[in-house]
Amino acid sequence: MPTRILPAGADPDAVRSLTTLLSQLPDAEPQPPVGDSTQLVDTLARLAAESVDELPEVVVVHERIGPVPALELIREVALRFPAVGVILVTTDAGPGLFSAAMDSGARGLVALPLSYEELASRVQAVAQWSTGVRRHLGHGSDVFGGVGGTVVTVSGAKGGVGTTLAAIQLALAAQASGRPTALLDLDLQTGDVASYLDIQFRRSVVDLAAITDISPRVLADAVFRHDTGLALLLAPGEGERGEEVTDRVARQIVSALRSRYEVVVVDCGAELSGAGAAVVEMADTALLVTTPDVIAVRAAKRTVRMWDRLQIRKAEETTVVVNRHTRSTEIQPALVQRITGTALARTAIPANFKELQAVVDAGRVHELDNRSSVKQALWGLAGELGLVRAAEGAAAHRGSGRGPGGFRRRKE
């Protein structure tokens, strides 16, 4: 059976040379190369959604790939697609990089300039390993978790627009529908998820900052299990420690969470950090919450333009959510969409703070009444985004009082 090999690199000449050499290997079937980290992960996710058997046995990553650095990319591929063997091609084949590559999940390292014999030997060994893993998976192992969980970031156009409340309710809706859900508070200096849910905690996201390999046990030790079933990874109590969470750390944490949970909701707050930017870039869905007033909409427009300039997210790949909407306001959702140039959530969240005041003041927003128009809208938004499981339990939800029923998962 031919060995499918997917080359990945940003340097066209280097990738062309690599592809040419790969095509000369016996029983090799090189796939069309991909030019950056995003394209590689998207390609693997698309193939994995069909079947594990559709994935290439071997991925060859050139050291000059971006925007995610090669070792971080290898770590994400290893976490999300453990049936794929990754080889790193590099000019530095020293023991230091070799050890770092192995720690990241690479199955081999090949030095530049490329040698036919070395490349052939390494590809053959990694292909055999990949085939063995898939054979093992075929006998009922649960090692492979598919393409990983859905990651949704919730960012605010400015402070005070309801970002944290929206993130919490989206996560609660997903969890209540039967999907294991994690809520990550990445508003590192001023995160309020713990306050909104009235919890005391010892560990936070900062405890994972110095760990190079986040195992399931390490992750479980850092996560707070809420009474609702939500897995919470909280912002540090000392805001100055948020600087310890770099973009590399954030990518690693989100990759670890999405490998363990079906849904990962990230509260990114309103201030852009390196960690927040990295997570918005890698998210499946990026929400930007605004209110229908001139100041907030202008802030939303600035944020969208900044994300575009920094190549974090294109405007059309960002979804704006209008919070505190009323029919009487001059600024309606359609106008917000035209001003920002983004996609627009069909669900607008109504302005009705009286429904929220008691649970917000008590720090127990998870106990918001099911009859609340705000909760119904936010849980409806979760359904619109495909965060909830299909509605076989809708009637049970209505009867149990856990939340609004009638969820329908968006077709992929």
Side-chain angles (χ1 to χ4, degrees), residues 2-300:
T3 299
R4 293 162 297 181
I5 309 169
L6 179 59
D11 185 333
D13 293 334
V15 172
R16 190 179 305 112
S17 174
L18 174 61
T19 303
T20 299
L21 198 55
L22 289 172
S23 65
Q24 298 173 11
L25 301 181
D27 296 323
E29 187 179 297
Q31 308 294 297
V34 295
D36 59 44
S37 57
T38 301
Q39 189 179 358
L40 173 59
V41 173
D42 287 348
T43 299
L44 293 176
R46 175 176 51 80
L47 293 172
E50 299 177 16
S51 168
V52 179
D53 294 332
E54 297 299 320
L55 287 166
E57 285 76 21
V58 181
V59 170
V60 182
V61 176
H62 194 279
E63 62 180 354
R64 290 198 296 273
I65 194 169
V68 177
L71 292 182
E72 294 181 28
L73 175 62
I74 290 171
R75 186 184 304 278
E76 181 173 359
V77 171
L79 281 169
R80 294 184 61 184
F81 313 101
V84 174
V86 184
I87 296 173
L88 175 64
V89 175
T90 176
T91 53
D92 177 14
L97 181 62
F98 181 86
S99 177
M102 296 303 106
D103 288 343
S104 296
R107 300 302 307 178
L109 187 146
V110 176
L112 290 168
L114 292 172
S115 158
Y116 175 88
E117 290 76 13
E118 183 183 9
L119 184 62
S121 172
R122 185 52 50 202
V123 166
Q124 182 181 17
V126 173
Q128 289 175 348
W129 171 86
S130 176
T131 301
V133 169
R134 295 175 197 215
R135 187 179 302 116
H136 179 58
L137 295 175
H139 288 82
S141 171
D142 60 356
V143 176
F144 181 74
V147 300
T150 298
V151 176
V152 176
T153 57
V154 187
S155 305
K158 56 185 282 297
V161 296
T163 307
T164 299
L165 179 68
I168 291 173
Q169 291 296 331
L170 290 175
L172 287 171
Q175 179 70 35
S177 75
R179 303 188 74 185
T181 301
L183 175 59
L184 167 61
D185 192 348
L186 213 58
D187 187 358
L188 296 169
Q189 292 187 354
T190 58
D192 280 327
V193 168
S195 297
Y196 272 99
L197 296 175
D198 190 28
I199 57 177
Q200 302 295 322
F201 63 99
R202 292 184 303 108
R203 297 190 179 277
S204 73
V205 65
V206 171
D207 292 297
L208 300 177
I211 299 174
T212 57
D213 186 13
I214 302 177
S215 67
R217 176 174 295 180
V218 169
L219 184 64
D221 286 342
V223 163
F224 183 96
R225 182 66 64 176
H226 192 256
D227 293 342
T228 58
L230 278 181
L232 304 176
L233 190 52
L234 300 164
E238 306 82 16
E240 67 274 13
R241 295 197 64 195
E243 296 180 357
E244 299 174 33
V245 183
T246 64
D247 55 344
R248 178 194 64 80
V249 171
R251 289 192 187 96
Q252 184 178 353
I253 289 171
V254 172
S255 294
L257 286 171
R258 82 188 312 169
S259 72
R260 304 292 296 176
Y261 299 93
E262 287 189 32
V263 176
V264 180
V265 178
V266 187
D267 179 0
C268 293
E271 184 176 341
L272 184 68
S273 63
V279 176
V280 170
E281 181 185 11
M282 68 187 297
D284 299 291
T285 301
L287 302 181
L288 182 61
V289 181
T290 186
T291 48
D293 57 86
V294 172
I295 303 302
V297 174
R298 284 178 177 172

Side-chain angles (χ1 to χ4, degrees), residues 284-326:
D284 299 291
T285 301
L287 302 181
L288 182 61
V289 181
T290 186
T291 48
D293 57 86
V294 172
I295 303 302
V297 174
R298 284 178 177 172
K301 185 176 181 180
R302 285 199 305 269
T303 299
V304 169
R305 287 182 171 181
M306 178 173 62
W307 287 0
D308 188 59
R309 287 195 304 272
L310 297 177
Q311 298 184 342
I312 297 170
R313 198 94 182 177
K314 295 179 181 178
E316 59 269 23
E317 296 174 348
T318 302
T319 301
V320 161
V321 177
V322 178
N323 189 25
R324 300 174 196 154
H325 170 259
T326 64

Side-chain angles (χ1 to χ4, degrees), residues 299-377:
K301 185 176 181 180
R302 285 199 305 269
T303 299
V304 169
R305 287 182 171 181
M306 178 173 62
W307 287 0
D308 188 59
R309 287 195 304 272
L310 297 177
Q311 298 184 342
I312 297 170
R313 198 94 182 177
K314 295 179 181 178
E316 59 269 23
E317 296 174 348
T318 302
T319 301
V320 161
V321 177
V322 178
N323 189 25
R324 300 174 196 154
H325 170 259
T326 64
R327 293 183 178 180
S328 60
T329 184
E330 292 185 10
I331 300 178
Q332 291 295 311
L335 178 59
V336 177
Q337 181 182 25
R338 288 199 298 271
I339 292 173
T340 59
T342 61
L344 176 69
R346 295 191 303 273
T347 305
I349 315 305
N352 200 336
F353 185 72
K354 287 183 179 180
E355 296 178 353
L356 304 174
Q357 188 165 6
V359 293
V360 169
D361 290 346
R364 300 185 68 81
V365 297
H366 54 289
E367 294 180 354
L368 182 60
D369 194 286
N370 292 336
R371 294 170 295 181
S372 162
S373 60
V374 175
K375 179 173 183 176
Q376 290 177 5

